[in-house]
Each structure stands twice: as C-alpha cells, then as structure tokens.
Amino acid sequence: CVTLDVQAACRDAAVTQELLEEGFHRDLLVKVELGEDAGGCAVAARMRLPPGIYVDPYELATLQQHNLTKAVLSPDVIDVEAPEYLARDLLLLLFLEPDTRCSHCFRAAVPVHARYHRPAQETEEALVVLGSPEVLLCCCHSHLSAECWEPAEVHTPCSSDNTGPCQWHSTKHRPAHEESMLRVPVGLREHSSLVCALTLLTTGLCSGLILAAACKYGHFS
C-alpha cells in the first residue's frame, strides 16, 4: 500500500452527507475528502442511524450481490415494519470508493427508509437527525501517526470481499455541512377521532359488500 501523509490527511479531512430524493425512501450519499492521495488504503464511514430511519438488509444484500454498495449493518436482523417508537438505533459501516474526479476523495451511497412516527400535536412532520459519520482508514504497511489516528474498535474486514481481520483507525474531522435532517410527515392527534370513525365506516361498508357478493354469487352445499 502507498504510504499516506497522515498529518496532512488528519488536519484536512472533511466529511459531508446528503439525503437525496424525496419522501420516505431516500439515498444517503456520504463523501469524504482526505488531505492527501490515499491510494492503496481502505476508507469507510461509520454512522449511527437513529430509530426513525433504517437500511433494509434484504435490499442491501441485493445491492452487494450486484457490487453496487458495500456495507456492514449491525444488527443484521431488522424489523422493517416497526414504527419509530418501537425501533432502535442501527450501526452502519459504509465502504467508500475512490472518486474519479478527485485523487484524495471517496464516496458511496446507500438506500435508507423513514419509519412511521406517532401522531404529533400541532405539527405535521417529525425530524430525524443524522449525526456526522466517523471516518475510518485502513492502510497496509503504513505507519499512522498516533497524534492524528487511533485504533478503532471495529471488528470488520477492510472490505466486504475480505474475511481476514483488519485494524481500522479513526480520526477527528471537520464536517463540511451541518447535520442532515429528514422531515417525516406525521398525523395530527386532533384528527384521531375522525380517522377512527372513517376507518370503521369503510371497514363495515367493505365487509358488507363482500358478504353480499358471497351470498349472491357463492355456491354453498
């Protein structure tokens, strides 16, 4: 691996993340810029996803089979139907690929999905805040400066294709932007009586239509 000038990389490292598209189903784009060319080094972003947002493990497995995304999700078993108030945080390690437009830049994207939230009072949206990711680096045969990089407790290989152990190192970085926020539409509590009444009425009407059709066209022995 190429030796990395870690002092410069540590001083100038920057990370930014963007939520692309609209609605409940988005793409999370993470970009990392190091101070020097990190050729031969593996770069990853480790982030904690709050309960209001999740990565579908089945979708992630499909993307990895087609070599479109490389990531490790913990825990790997997730209830994708659970609402926000019954879910828990997730830990995502996203492997970044070199950016062809910049010799010391890396990027990767992963699909994320918003969970349903409880009805709110006097507001029609809930905020899901994504904190800044942790930048991780793994360089073969490179001597990382203890002043900038320190061993990280990440029990994951240096790539999704490698099953051997890997010693990741982390560093402090300057976020390029403020924390990303996802605005999730929610219902209003004052509408709960109306919603319940309409739901009960619709259910009774549909059940009556099904029963009438069964009596008219059904064949009973």
Side-chain angles (χ1 to χ4, degrees):
C1 297
V2 178
T3 301
L4 178 66
D5 185 354
V6 184
Q7 290 284 358
C10 175
R11 185 172 58 251
D12 297 331
V15 61
T16 181
Q17 57 185 2
E18 301 176 50
L19 285 167
L20 308 179
E21 308 299 334
E22 298 292 338
F24 277 76
H25 309 287
R26 313 288 285 271
D27 285 328
L28 177 60
L29 174 63
V30 179
K31 295 183 287 187
V32 171
E33 180 179 355
L34 299 178
E36 296 291 336
D37 184 4
C41 298
V43 181
R46 182 169 63 168
M47 62 198 75
R48 186 170 296 277
L49 302 181
I53 195 171
Y54 70 95
V55 174
D56 188 334
Y58 305 103
E59 182 181 23
L60 182 61
T62 301
L63 292 173
Q64 295 196 127
Q65 288 178 357
H66 293 85
N67 202 31
L68 297 177
T69 297
K70 297 179 180 179
V72 176
L73 192 61
S74 178
D76 55 358
V77 178
I78 300 173
D79 184 357
V80 298
E81 301 294 338
E84 178 269 343
Y85 49 87
L86 294 179
R88 57 175 176 167
D89 291 357
L90 302 175
L91 195 62
L92 176 68
L93 182 66
L94 183 62
F95 298 98
L96 308 182
E97 298 291 339
D99 191 337
T100 56
R101 296 167 295 181
C102 173
S103 61
H104 50 276
C105 300
F106 299 80
R107 58 185 291 154
V110 61
V112 295
H113 309 276
R115 294 187 184 274
Y116 290 105
H117 288 62
R118 290 184 186 275
Q121 190 77 30
E122 299 181 352
T123 181
E124 296 183 354
E125 62 181 18
L127 293 180
V128 179
V129 180
L130 294 178
S132 185
E134 178 185 8
V135 178
L136 298 176
L137 190 67
C138 180
C139 294
C140 303
H141 312 301
S142 292
H143 300 286
L144 301 180
S145 172
E147 297 179 358
C148 295
W149 298 87
E150 58 182 15
E153 296 182 1
V154 180
H155 305 288
T156 303
C158 282
S159 70
S160 58
D161 302 326
N162 185 6
T163 58
C166 175
Q167 177 59 70
W168 289 95
H169 290 78
S170 64
T171 181
K172 294 182 179 180
H173 60 270
R174 52 179 176 86
H177 297 284
E178 297 293 333
E179 293 177 322
S180 298
M181 290 189 297
L182 174 64
R183 300 180 182 273
V184 183
V186 297
L188 295 175
R189 292 181 183 175
E190 52 263 35
H191 294 166
S192 58
S193 298
L194 178 61
V195 171
C196 291
L198 290 177
T199 301
L200 182 61
L201 178 62
T202 303
T203 302
L205 178 61
C206 293
S207 299
L209 292 175
I210 294 174
L211 181 60
C215 293
K216 182 177 181 180
Y217 301 104
H219 300 281
F220 303 97
S221 56

